[in-house]
Amino acid sequence: MAETLLLEIGCEELPASFVGPALDELRGLAEGGLHDARLGFASARTLGTPRRLALLVEGIAPRQEDRTLEVFGPPVAVAFDAAGQPSPAAQGFAKRVGQPVEALERRPGPKGEVLFAEVAEAGRPAPEVLPELIRGWIHGLHFPKTMHWSGSERFARPVRWLTALLGDRVLPVEAFGVTAGRRTQGHRIHAAGWADVKRPADYVETLRERVVMVVPDERRTAITKGLADAVAGLGGAAVPDPELVEEVVQLVEWPEPVVGSFDPVYLELPRPVVVTAMRAHQRYFAVEDKGGALLPSFVMIRSGRGEGHEEIRRGTQAVLRARLEDARFYWRNDIAQGLEAKVEALKGIVWHEKLGSLYERTLRIVQTAEDLARALDPKSRGTASRAAYLSKADLASEMVRSGKEFATLQGIVGAEY
C-alpha cells in the first residue's frame, strides 16, 4: 500500500528570509532524490514556520522499482587462458554478478571483447531506502549563514528535534545528534511541550490544536483578513505592502493583529520616513485613510492569541515612538542645515580611495549632466547642473548617515529635502 511520508526539522527560530527558500529547496531535494532512488510517489509539498521545516510526500510506493544493470567485466583475453579455461578474473566477475561463467556474454569494448552480464536488481522496501535519503535532504539544505553547536554538522539554527514517519512507522533517522521520533512541539508560549503525531495525515491538525498554523498559505490568509478586520474601525485601510506580508508570514506561527497608535505630530514627517520607521525593523503595517493620507495608527501581527493585547500595544507604541522621535530629530537638523551644506560635507566622505571623495564624484556627475544637456537640450543645462550638484547631498544627511533604517531612503530623502 502506498503511504505518506512526514519529515519535520524542528529548530530554533529561523530568520524569515531563510524559511521560504529552504522549503523550496527541501521539496526539490525530495522530488529529485525519490526519482533517482526509483521510489514512486504521488505528490510532495512543504510546510513550515520559523521553528520548523516540514515535508509531506503522499503516495510513496512500498518499494523501489526493479531494474536491470549492465555490468562490464575483464577483457576476454584476460578472462580465459590458452586452453579456453576461465581465469581467476573471469571466475571473480562471474561470482560478483551471480552467474556461471558459461552464462556470461561477450561485448565489444574499446580494446577488444570484454565479458558482459545483465544483472537484475530487486528494489528495496521504502522503509530501508528512505532513512538514507532523508539524511541527504537534511544535510543538503543551503542557507546564507550557518552555525554548528555540536560536532561539525552545520545548519541555519540549532536543530532540536526531528520527526520522521512513514505511515504510522517511525523511520530510523539521525542528524545533528538528534534521533527522529514522532514528537513535535506546539507554540512556544501557548502550547509548550511535546505532542505525538500518530500519522502524517494528522500533522497539520495536531499542530493547529497546539496554536501553530503550519501551512504558510493559511497564515497568509489569516494575516490579510486580520489586517482588514483590524483597520475596519479606523476609517481607513492598511497600506498595501505585499513584501511585508510575505515576511510576516515567515515570522509568526499563529498570526493575530494588534492595533496601535502614535502621536499625530509625527505625521509632519514625509510619508516614506513614517512608513519606514514602522516596517523596517518593527514589521508594522501603516494605515491610510480613503484619500491615501497616513493615519496615526498601525497594525502589528503578533505570534499568538488571546491575552496580552494591551501589554503588547503599549510596548509596540513605545518602540515606534522612539524611532519616530529619532526621525524627527534628523529631519529638523537636516532642514536647518540645508542641502548646500550637505554637498560641502561630501568632501569628508571617501567614495573610493583611487577615485576620491563623494564631492569629487558629484563634480564629475555635474560635468556629465552639463555635457548631455548641451548636446540634447541647451535650455535645460542650468537645471540639469543644479540637479546633479544636489543629487548626492542626502548621503551626508543625518537621516541617511544615522545607519538606522532610514539609510535605505537615500535618494528618496534627498527628493523630500
Side-chain angles (χ1 to χ4, degrees):
M1 295 285 292
E3 294 188 285
T4 300
L5 168 70
L6 166 65
L7 167 65
E8 182 187 61
I9 308 169
C11 56
E12 299 295 337
E13 275 80 355
L14 294 163
S17 61
F18 287 17
V19 179
L23 292 177
D24 290 341
E25 186 176 24
L26 180 57
R27 184 177 65 252
L29 288 169
E31 291 174 342
L34 291 169
H35 180 269
D36 293 343
R38 312 184 323 278
L39 200 53
F41 66 98
S43 63
R45 63 172 176 149
T46 48
L47 316 170
T49 73
R51 296 180 65 207
R52 69 200 77 229
L53 302 174
L55 169 73
L56 280 171
V57 184
E58 298 181 344
I60 288 192
R63 62 187 307 112
Q64 292 175 300
E65 296 176 1
D66 297 338
R67 66 175 175 176
T68 300
L69 300 176
E70 295 184 342
V71 185
F72 291 87
V76 172
V78 176
F80 299 94
D81 59 21
Q85 297 300 312
S87 68
Q91 294 171 349
F93 177 66
K95 182 178 180 181
R96 179 158 64 91
V97 298
Q99 298 181 14
V101 173
E102 54 271 19
L104 299 176
E105 299 180 36
R106 300 186 183 191
R107 291 282 178 91
K111 298 182 180 180
E113 283 191 319
V114 297
L115 293 183
F116 170 84
E118 289 188 347
V119 180
E121 182 183 279
R124 292 187 295 156
E128 292 181 11
V129 178
L130 285 170
E132 183 179 352
L133 290 178
I134 291 172
R135 281 190 292 271
W137 303 339
I138 294 173
H139 292 298
L141 293 173
H142 297 88
F143 299 95
K145 293 182 180 180
T146 59
M147 59 193 301
H148 65 88
W149 57 98
S150 177
S152 60
E153 296 177 314
R154 304 185 70 89
F155 203 72
R157 291 293 184 270
V159 173
R160 298 307 188 196
W161 76 89
L162 293 172
T163 308
L165 297 176
L166 182 63
D168 58 3
R169 178 189 317 190
V170 175
L171 295 174
V173 177
E174 189 276 336
F176 308 105
V178 178
T179 301
R182 64 172 67 251
R183 299 192 306 173
T184 186
Q185 288 198 16
H187 193 279
R188 189 184 290 279
I189 296 173
H190 298 290
W194 298 103
D196 284 348
V197 181
K198 294 181 180 179
R199 300 180 62 84
D202 302 330
Y203 176 65
V204 173
E205 191 57 37
T206 297
L207 284 175
R208 184 177 287 110
E209 292 172 357
R210 286 156 181 82
V211 201
V212 174
M213 289 185 195
V214 73
V215 182
D217 284 344
E218 287 187 18
R219 296 199 301 279
R220 188 176 295 105
T221 299
I223 290 169
T224 303
K225 183 178 185 302
L227 284 172
D229 293 345
V231 301
L234 300 176
V239 174
D241 197 335
E243 289 185 4
L244 184 57
V245 170
E246 291 306 308
E247 184 177 8
V248 174
V249 165
Q250 307 299 4
L251 280 174
V252 299
E253 292 200 314
W254 190 277
E256 187 175 76
V258 176
V259 178
S261 62
F262 57 89
D263 193 326
V265 69
Y266 295 114
L267 292 177
E268 72 180 31
L269 294 168
R271 177 189 177 106
V273 174
V274 178
V275 173
T276 298
M278 285 189 269
R279 78 182 301 278
H281 290 299
Q282 309 311 125
R283 282 88 175 190
Y284 302 165
F285 291 86
V287 181
E288 61 186 7
D289 62 22
K290 295 179 180 179
L294 285 182
L295 294 173
S297 301
F298 65 87
V299 182
M300 69 89 64
I301 304 296
R302 66 177 290 195
S303 182
R305 68 183 183 189
E307 70 282 352
H309 275 234
E310 191 53 42
E311 290 83 355
I312 293 172
R313 180 180 294 106
R314 286 200 300 266
T316 56
Q317 290 177 167
V319 172
L320 180 59
R321 181 170 59 251
R323 295 191 178 278
L324 289 173
E325 193 60 37
D326 284 346
R328 185 165 66 160
F329 173 81
Y330 301 142
W331 173 261
R332 288 178 171 178
N333 280 4
D334 289 338
I335 290 294
Q337 294 174 26
L339 279 182
E340 290 285 349
K342 299 304 180 184
V343 175
E344 287 295 314
L346 294 176
K347 294 178 180 179
I349 303 177
V350 176
W351 179 52
H352 190 286
E353 63 176 317
K354 294 183 179 181
L355 297 175
S357 66
L358 278 172
Y359 181 78
E360 292 172 293
R361 183 190 183 202
T362 297
L363 295 183
R364 290 193 290 269
I365 294 173
V366 169
Q367 185 62 54
T368 301
E370 290 182 352
D371 291 344
L372 288 171
R374 188 180 297 111
L376 300 175
D377 184 6
K379 293 181 180 180
S380 69
R381 180 181 173 187
T383 303
S385 178
R386 180 67 175 167
Y389 183 72
L390 298 176
S391 64
K392 301 300 177 184
D394 68 339
L395 294 177
S397 68
E398 292 193 40
M399 186 77 76
V400 173
R401 293 188 69 180
S402 68
K404 295 186 177 181
E405 61 268 31
F406 309 111
T408 60
L409 295 176
Q410 57 178 280
I412 296 173
V413 166
E416 297 289 346
Y417 289 151

